[in-house]
Each structure stands twice: as C-alpha cells, then as structure tokens.
C-alpha cells in the first residue's frame, strides 16, 4: 500500500515544514526506506525531527528521531541517538487500511512524548542509564572472608 508520505506530513497541523532527504543524506539508511526531515511545533516547543519509513509501513511504524537530540537535556523515551520511543508496539492494534491516520497519529505521539519528557528528569529510560555505565565487566575479590562480589555492567 503506497501513500504520499510527504503530502500527509505537510498537512499535519503540527508540522511547519517537510523536506524529503536525498539518498546521499541518508547515511546508514536501508535502500528500501524513505526519510524526511520536518520542523514541528507543539505546545510552545519547536522540534526538528527525522522520520524513516520502511517499505512495510503501515505494518511497521516509522522510526522517528529528534534530529538535534544532543542539544537537549536527557529525556525519557529518547535515546542518545535521538530515537524516540513514542509508542509501545506490543499489543498495538492498527487499521492498516488507513495509513494516513497511522502516520498522523505517530507524529502526534512522538510530539507528545517529547513534550511530556522534556523537563521531567525522572522519566529517563533505563537504556540511557545503561549507556552511561562502562561496558566492561569487573569483579571484586576479597580473600579474607572468602567472598566474591561480581559486578557486571550492562
């Protein structure tokens, strides 16, 4: 099922501008995807987003990234690379015959996630915490009491 992603994005009420990214700007993107950069405004905040659609859309939701994630403080549901976890896909029921509605809802959910987590430091995901911890395992051995404490980092 093919839809005009750009036209749907341009008509979204929160989207101010949409740019289709050329193949050379899509570093690391698969050849079967379409990527867009958009500028959106929601609840008094401006957001620069990157959206990647796989050919299996609407059966697979688009990946949505905060383009300039490093310019923001740590936020829940946004990893270091800017990938926004905007919807728990487990048990999600979608009407795949209406991809325009799915796309519109995905943008709303991503913007809602950003807005809700922008200033709430308590919502930092475990994934972000894991990235802060060294990735090498280490251990402490104490000979006197014959106990070993293993401390493994993620």
């Amino acid at each position: 099922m093919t839809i005009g992603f750009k036209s749907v994005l341009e008509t979204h009420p929160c989207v101010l501008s949409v740019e289709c990214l050329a193949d050379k700007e899509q570093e690391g993107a698969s050849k079967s995807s379409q990527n867009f950069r958009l500028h959106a405004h929601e609840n008094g905040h401006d957001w620069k987003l990157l959206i990647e659609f796989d050919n299996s859309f609407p059966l697979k939701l688009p990946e949505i990234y905060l383009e300039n994630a490093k310019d923001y403080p740590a936020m829940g549901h946004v990893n270091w690379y800017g990938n926004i976890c905007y919807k728990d896909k487990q048990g999600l029921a979608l009407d795949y015959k209406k991809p325009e509605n799915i796309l519109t809802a995905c943008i709303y959910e991503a913007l809602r996630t950003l807005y809700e987590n922008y200033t709430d430091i308590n919502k930092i995901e475990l994934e972000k915490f894991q990235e802060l911890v060294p990735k090498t395992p280490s251990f402490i051995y104490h000979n006197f009491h014959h106990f070993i404490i293993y401390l493994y980092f993620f």
Side-chain angles (χ1 to χ4, degrees):
M1 179 175 298
T2 305
I3 67 167
F5 295 123
K6 187 172 182 183
S7 62
V8 174
L9 291 170
E10 288 173 332
T11 59
H12 193 285
C14 297
V15 174
L16 303 174
S17 65
V18 177
E19 175 188 356
C20 183
L21 298 179
D23 291 335
K24 64 182 177 183
E25 294 183 61
Q26 298 182 27
E27 294 179 23
S30 65
K31 291 182 180 179
S32 63
S33 67
Q34 294 183 42
N35 292 355
F36 295 88
R37 175 181 289 132
L38 62 92
H39 179 214
H41 183 83
E42 176 74 355
N43 292 323
H45 293 281
D46 286 330
W47 305 101
K48 294 178 183 177
L49 303 177
L50 296 173
I51 302 176
E52 181 179 319
F53 294 92
D54 191 89
N55 276 346
S56 58
F57 178 82
L59 299 176
K60 181 179 182 228
L61 296 180
E63 294 289 330
I64 302 178
Y65 298 86
L66 181 59
E67 183 175 21
N68 53 341
K70 293 181 179 172
D71 295 339
Y72 290 93
M75 287 189 276
H77 302 281
V78 180
N79 71 13
W80 288 116
Y81 307 106
N83 190 332
I84 304 167
C85 180
Y86 60 92
K87 199 66 177 167
D88 183 6
K89 294 158 186 85
Q90 197 169 10
L92 185 63
L94 300 171
D95 185 355
Y96 67 91
K97 293 180 182 177
K98 297 180 181 176
E100 298 85 3
N101 294 353
I102 294 172
L103 177 52
T104 299
C106 288
I107 300 300
Y108 275 126
E109 284 296 315
L111 292 172
R112 180 192 59 78
T113 300
L114 288 172
Y115 177 73
E116 287 181 358
N117 292 281
Y118 179 58
T119 56
D120 191 351
I121 195 71
N122 295 321
K123 290 188 177 182
I124 295 176
E125 287 188 345
L126 181 60
E127 180 181 344
K128 268 199 183 273
F129 176 75
Q130 289 173 342
E131 290 175 8
L132 294 172
V133 179
K135 304 225 184 297
T136 56
S138 62
F139 66 91
I140 300 171
Y141 174 72
H142 192 279
N143 197 0
F144 181 71
H145 293 287
H146 301 290
F147 77 40
I148 299 174
I149 300 173
Y150 289 98
L151 177 61
Y152 285 95
F153 295 112
F154 305 136

